[in-house]
């Protein structure tokens, strides 16, 4: 897994490069926007906003215009406006300095997992269709309206029907990338899926571990 790190602050970059290396990522490090846009293909971009030659937000916009490589913005700017603009320009997530290595790695993994989900249609059973481009769910051809998180949860569990997903995996993938709080909200959303889609899917609870999605019998 190749990460393009765009960061002009040497100590921060060195520590990220070392840390990510320990987690098995191969890191290409560049220090300005021009080099970032000239770099070869990568699986994910970690992008500082305060760069010496250009605004990181412009780099973000340009990278997004070229393709759909996942982008995580890292910045000392903690202002909400930068976060919003970064996400509007196509960044997938955002971390503020100072951050811990585990937080960065958790976010990278969550973003990679989300972007690995195939776009298009996933047919879970003969009766349920998940249209991932339109983010719509159809049962027997008729739309069932889901809340955004309910949709995300369904889309995530349906990437591998029958597989047991742990609560932690689900929280990390569907909710904030690093979730340390209670996970009751997960049960609430599972309950909603059962209520709305119980005719076509079963969401099985494995007590103390997590959930698996199966086609209803
Ligand atoms: Ca900087």
């Amino acid at each position: 897994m190749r990460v393009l790190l765009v960061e002009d602050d040497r100590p921060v970059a060195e520590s990220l490069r070392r840390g990510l290396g320990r987690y098995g990522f191969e890191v290409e490090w560049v220090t300005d926007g021009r080099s970032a846009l000239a770099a070869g293909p990568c699986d994910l971009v970690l992008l500082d906003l305060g760069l010496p030659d250009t605004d990181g937000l412009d780099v973000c916009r340009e990278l997004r215009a070229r393709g759909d490589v996942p982008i995580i913005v890292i910045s000392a700017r903690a202002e909400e406006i930068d976060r919003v603009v970064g996400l509007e320009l196509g960044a997938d997530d955002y971390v503020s300095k100072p951050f811990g290595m585990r937080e960065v790695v958790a976010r990278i993994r969550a973003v990679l997992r989300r972007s690995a989900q195939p776009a298009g249609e996933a047919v879970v059973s003969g009766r349920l269709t998940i249209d991932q481009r339109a983010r719509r769910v159809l049962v027997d051809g008729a739309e069932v309206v889901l809340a955004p998180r309910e949709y995300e949860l369904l889309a995530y569990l349906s990437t591998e029907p029958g597989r047991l997903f742990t609560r932690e995996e689900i929280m990390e993938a569907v909710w904030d990338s690093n979730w340390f709080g209670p996970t009751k909200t997960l049960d609430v959303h599972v309950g909603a899926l059962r209520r709305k889609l119980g005719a076509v899917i079963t969401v099985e609870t494995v007590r103390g571990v997590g959930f698996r999605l199966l086609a209803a019998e």
Side-chain angles (χ1 to χ4, degrees):
M1 197 57 71
R2 203 158 155 277
V3 173
L4 174 64
L5 170 61
V6 189
E7 170 62 86
D8 60 314
D9 183 322
R10 178 171 286 271
V12 171
E14 290 289 2
S15 113
L16 273 171
R17 194 155 69 153
R18 260 196 322 274
L20 291 175
R22 274 202 300 273
Y23 282 91
F25 294 96
E26 188 189 320
V27 178
E28 179 180 355
W29 173 30
V30 298
T31 56
D32 57 35
R34 185 194 308 254
S35 318
L37 294 174
C42 63
D43 300 299
L44 181 133
V45 180
L46 270 180
L47 175 65
D48 182 33
L49 288 187
L51 297 172
D53 61 335
T54 172
D55 192 315
L57 290 174
D58 293 331
V59 178
C60 182
R61 185 188 292 116
E62 175 62 25
L63 287 172
R64 182 50 70 241
R66 291 180 183 183
D68 53 8
V69 66
I71 302 169
I72 297 178
V73 162
I74 47 175
S75 177
R77 309 178 186 175
E79 290 88 4
E80 183 70 11
I81 186 71
D82 281 325
R83 179 188 159 86
V84 170
V85 170
L87 296 176
E88 273 176 1
L89 290 179
D92 297 276
D93 206 349
Y94 188 103
V95 284
S96 301
K97 293 174 183 172
F99 46 76
M101 189 53 59
R102 285 180 58 186
E103 178 188 359
V104 174
V105 168
R107 282 175 189 259
I108 288 177
R109 287 187 174 148
V111 165
L112 287 174
R113 228 185 343 257
R114 282 201 297 269
S115 71
Q117 285 178 19
E121 289 198 345
V123 178
V124 174
S125 75
R127 302 179 55 198
L128 172 68
T129 302
I130 302 171
D131 180 343
Q132 301 199 354
R133 289 191 191 282
R135 296 174 62 88
R136 291 170 75 213
V137 173
L138 308 172
V139 172
D140 297 332
E143 181 166 11
V144 175
V145 177
L146 299 183
R149 293 287 188 197
E150 293 165 8
Y151 173 84
E152 294 285 344
L153 175 60
L154 176 68
Y156 181 62
L157 293 177
S158 67
T159 54
E160 286 182 67
R163 184 190 139 188
L164 171 60
F165 290 92
T166 67
R167 301 180 72 92
E168 291 71 26
E169 282 178 309
I170 298 169
M171 291 311 294
E172 195 178 305
V174 178
W175 273 265
D176 228 339
S177 341
N178 49 349
W179 182 276
F180 300 113
T183 58
K184 186 159 175 23
T185 184
L186 172 54
D187 300 277
V188 173
H189 284 74
V190 166
L193 290 185
R194 285 176 176 148
R195 204 168 54 247
K196 294 180 178 179
L197 298 169
V200 287
I201 56 165
T202 302
V203 184
E204 221 174 65
T205 303
V206 178
R207 198 166 293 283
V209 185
F211 300 94
R212 63 163 66 95
L213 181 136
L214 301 162
E217 302 193 348

